[in-house]
Every structure is written in C-alpha cells, then in structure tokens.
Amino acid sequence: MPRLAAASLAGTAIEFYDFFVYGTAAALVLGPLFFPTFSPLAGTLAAFATFGVGFVARPLGSVLFGHVGDRHGRRPVLVVSLLLTGASTVAVGCVPTYDTIGVAAPLLLLVLRFLQGLGLGGEWGGAVLLTAEHAPAERRALWSSFPQVGPAVGFVLANGVVLVLSATLTEAQFTQWGWRVPFWAAGALAVLGLWLRSSLPESPRFLEIDDHARVPLVEVVRDHWRLVLLTAGALSVGYAIFYAVTTWSLAYATERLGVTRTVMLACILAAVVAKGALTPLMALLGDRYGRRPLCLAGCAAAALWMFPMVALLATGEPLPMFLGILGALIAFVTMFSVIAAYLPELYAPRVRCTGAAVGYNLGGVLGGALTPIVATALAEHSGRVPWGVGAYLTGVALLSLGCFVLLPETRPVPGQVAGHATGPGPVAATEAAAGECA
C-alpha cells in the first residue's frame, strides 16, 4: 500500500501540476499576450475562459477513460492520461503569442487546454480507484487520501516554479519567455510519472469482476443519473473554493489591490502546503466517523467563512490574506480528504470508474470552470471588498450542503467484506433520496 499510494500521489501531483500551471499563467500573463486587443479586464476574463475549457473537457475525459477503466482495467488509464496531459502542457509552452500568429494563438490555447482537461478527467478515476480498491476497508479513506494530496503537491510545484521565476526575472523577461518554463518542465515530470507507474499492479476488484459493463456510460446514465447529479452538485463547492483562492484571488490581488505577484503567490503556497499536510489527518477522521459527517461539516464551514475570507483578502496585507485563504482551504480539505473513498463506495465495481469520475468532474464544471469568471466580474462591480464574490461562494456552499444531505453514508461497518462496501444499499438509498428530491 505505501508503494501504491506513493505512485498514485506522484502521478496526480504531476497531472495537476500541468493543470494548475495554466491557471497561474491565465491569472498573470495570458490575457495581454494572447488577447492584446481586449481591455485588461476583458483580457483576464478571456484567459479565464480558456482556463474553463479544461473543466468542460474533464467530464468527456472521464467518459472516455472511464470506459477503458471499467472494460480493460484501471492501470491503462493512468499511463495514457498522463501522456496526454503532459504532451499538451509542453505544447502550451511552445505556442506563439498573438503578436506572432494572430488569432491562431488563442485558438491553439483552447485546443491544448481541452486536451489537458481530457487527460485529467481520466487521471483522477484511475489513480483513486487503483488505490481505493487495494486498500483495506477500515483504512480506505486514509490510503485513498494520498492521491488527493497530489493536487496540493502539483499546485506547490507549479506555483513554486512561477514564484522562483517571478522573483529572479525582470518583468520583461518573465513576460517574454519566463512564463513558458513551467510548461516545458512538464515533459520531464511526465517521464518521471510514467516510470513510477510502470510497475503498478491492476486493481484486485477489477480482476474479480466476471461481467463487465458493455457500455458503462449507458448503465450509469440509466441506473444512477440522480446519483451522478447529486455528487456533482455536492463537489461543486470544493472546486469553487479552491479556484477562487488559488486563481481568482491571484488576479484580484495583483490587478485590483496592487499586491506584488511574489507576495500573493507566497500566501497561496503556504496555505496549500497546510492543506496538503492536513489531508491524511482528516481522512483518518473519515475512517473513524464516516465520510458524510466530514462532508457536511466542511460545507457548513465553507458557507460561514466565505464573507470573512473576502474581507481578509481585501485588506491587501499578507497575514490577513493568508488566514483568509487558509480558513477556506481547511473547509475544503475537510470535505475532499474523504471524497476519494466516498465516491467509489457509492458505485458498483462494474461501472465505478465511469460513475465516480463523471460525478467528480461534472462538479469541476459547476464549481471550477465558472468561479474565476464569475468572481472576476462580480469583483469588478463592487467596492474594495468584493461582497458579491462572498455571496456567490456561500450560495455554492449551501447548494452542495443540500446535495450531501441527500447522499448516504458508505463507511464500511464490521462484518462487511473488504472491497464490497459498494452494494445495493448505498446506491438504492441515494436513488430513493434523489427521487424524493426530484
């Protein structure tokens, strides 16, 4: 389990590095370089729109790679998704700017961002399931949390590279070529990830399945569509929080408040490091007290913290900004530390790769794709404190809280067979609850 967890963590870290480095570049430089004919606000919104394309592609990637994972195994998904994401990220670093090739530049960004999202849509399901389906039932949340640490590591890597470049290069050097370096580094990271994953064993639960779903997506849509919608709604707050504090706040602080890029990156990095360290600890609580209680507590904390968070951000001072971001990420990790165990346990093994990944990535469309765009627009029409952003994030948190209320608990109880935590009970209960809601 330690070797498997380490390989899954490394893989998700590398793929999320690829995904996050684009978000950082979108907040800092892509607007003026690829949309120079727009106003500064419109350029930032356009850059965030290309950022959002990756989220739209993620559910499609979860369908494509989920089919492979449910039909042919979890392991092949990890290799192909890593190759796709890594290659498209390196290519982003090679795209000429608008001044060189005109409108083709932003169009190429859109295509490559779509491919990034396609690969990442398959990555999460494969990495999480391979770990969760190997893990002993009584420690499934703990072991499954290690792939969930990967996004924090990927974010620290991506923003750490940008922070070093920002601190050592002049503004002209960073804008001219420095922003491309993190994208080029993705190639070396992808090679490392492929080496780490080359010897991973296939999931024992997949090998036990005698009757594989012929078309997993059809079965998921037909039998579990309410469950998919509930999980997507439930997870949307996590994406909204994460991309509000790591992407929107970076653009808001540097453009509206005059905070230096280096200071803001340092505040975000420190909070994300704390989030990554807390993830396994919160997962232990999920093994002890259940998945659903932690998710409900995290949603409630998010709803209560969003207004204080934007007030702290608006100070423009490093310590208050750090505390605002840290509080939001603690609420986030309270929920997402157990999601890697929770979602697979909700679906039957024959459609688990497709069902869990589609629900997870649809939540990304609802919460992650729209948040930087909506928050930027709301902040532009508010005073120094962007209360509209706080209201928007609070609303998303309440929506997710309602969805989690309708989902069942799945934590294995004594007497259940390891690996069989997903049975007709949780799914049936969820379908019934969703039917009542509808």
Side-chain angles (χ1 to χ4, degrees):
M1 284 308 306
R3 181 172 65 90
L4 188 67
S8 295
L9 187 157
T12 53
I14 291 165
E15 292 219 38
F16 275 91
Y17 166 91
D18 297 350
F19 204 72
F20 290 148
V21 77
Y22 190 100
T24 304
L28 296 177
V29 297
L30 294 188
L33 291 177
F34 289 87
F35 304 95
T37 60
F38 291 17
S39 68
L41 172 62
T44 300
L45 287 171
F48 280 150
T50 63
F51 176 71
V53 167
F55 287 96
V56 175
R58 283 173 65 167
L60 299 177
S62 65
V63 171
L64 174 64
F65 289 104
H67 183 90
V68 174
D70 285 324
R71 292 282 298 165
H72 305 290
R74 320 313 192 196
R75 190 170 173 270
V77 171
L78 300 183
V79 175
V80 180
S81 64
L82 185 59
L83 277 172
L84 178 60
T85 309
S88 56
T89 304
V90 172
V92 169
C94 300
V95 175
T97 62
Y98 185 94
D99 289 341
T100 304
I101 60 173
V103 73
L107 290 177
L108 282 172
L109 275 188
L110 282 173
V111 171
L112 293 171
R113 181 61 178 170
F114 182 87
L115 293 176
Q116 267 192 330
L118 205 67
L120 193 61
E123 160 66 26
W124 185 86
V128 163
L129 289 189
L130 202 61
T131 307
E133 292 182 338
H134 274 91
E138 68 277 5
R139 283 290 178 264
R140 185 175 292 126
L142 173 62
W143 288 114
S144 301
S145 72
F146 285 94
Q148 292 295 85
V149 177
V153 175
F155 183 86
V156 170
L157 285 174
N159 284 264
V161 172
V162 174
L163 180 61
V164 170
L165 291 168
S166 178
T168 56
L169 300 178
T170 66
E171 186 69 26
Q173 289 173 326
F174 184 83
T175 303
Q176 185 176 10
W177 58 267
W179 68 271
R180 297 181 183 273
V181 174
F183 291 93
W184 296 336
L189 292 174
V191 172
L192 173 63
L194 289 172
W195 175 73
L196 288 170
R197 289 180 166 184
S198 61
S199 60
L200 292 181
E202 183 53 80
S203 159
R205 290 296 294 124
F206 175 79
L207 297 175
E208 292 171 6
I209 300 172
D210 297 322
D211 183 23
H212 295 283
R214 188 175 183 83
V215 185
L217 178 63
V218 171
E219 194 167 318
V220 168
V221 172
R222 183 189 65 219
D223 299 334
H224 308 307
W225 63 271
R226 292 185 182 89
L227 179 58
V228 170
L229 293 179
L230 280 176
T231 52
L235 299 181
S236 61
V237 65
Y239 285 99
I241 290 173
F242 192 83
Y243 289 101
V245 301
T246 61
T247 300
W248 165 75
S249 69
L250 182 57
Y252 168 74
T254 54
E255 294 174 8
R256 289 286 302 277
L257 304 180
V259 179
T260 66
R261 183 169 57 223
T262 303
V263 168
M264 195 59 195
L265 284 170
C267 290
I268 296 172
L269 274 175
V272 172
V273 168
K275 165 200 165 294
L278 285 172
T279 299
L281 301 177
M282 290 294 187
L284 280 172
L285 296 178
D287 277 325
R288 183 175 179 84
Y289 299 108
R291 292 48 162 139
R292 187 167 171 267
L294 263 71
C295 292
L296 293 172
C299 275
L304 293 171
W305 187 248
M306 293 301 98
F307 283 108
M309 182 194 76
V310 296
L312 290 168
L313 280 176
T315 66
E317 296 296 327
L319 182 58
M321 289 192 301
F322 165 73
L323 293 176
I325 293 169
L326 179 62
L329 290 182
I330 289 174
F332 166 88
V333 79
T334 303
M335 294 175 276
F336 270 55
S337 62
V338 296
I339 287 301
Y342 196 15
L343 259 64
E345 289 170 347
L346 286 167
Y347 292 90
R350 58 185 276 117
V351 296
R352 183 176 285 164
C353 196
T354 300
V358 168
Y360 184 85
N361 288 297
L362 278 178
V365 175
L366 295 174
L370 296 177
T371 294
I373 299 171
V374 172
T376 299
L378 289 173
E380 181 65 19
H381 298 289
S382 62
R384 182 175 177 85
V385 181
W387 297 118
V389 177
Y392 168 74
L393 294 173
T394 300
V396 176
L398 292 175
L399 168 68
S400 294
L401 183 64
C403 291
F404 274 123
V405 166
L406 295 174
L407 288 170
E409 179 56 73
T410 61
R411 180 171 64 96
V413 297
Q416 284 185 312
V417 180
H420 291 269
T422 301
V427 173
T430 304
E431 295 294 303
E436 291 170 8
C437 177

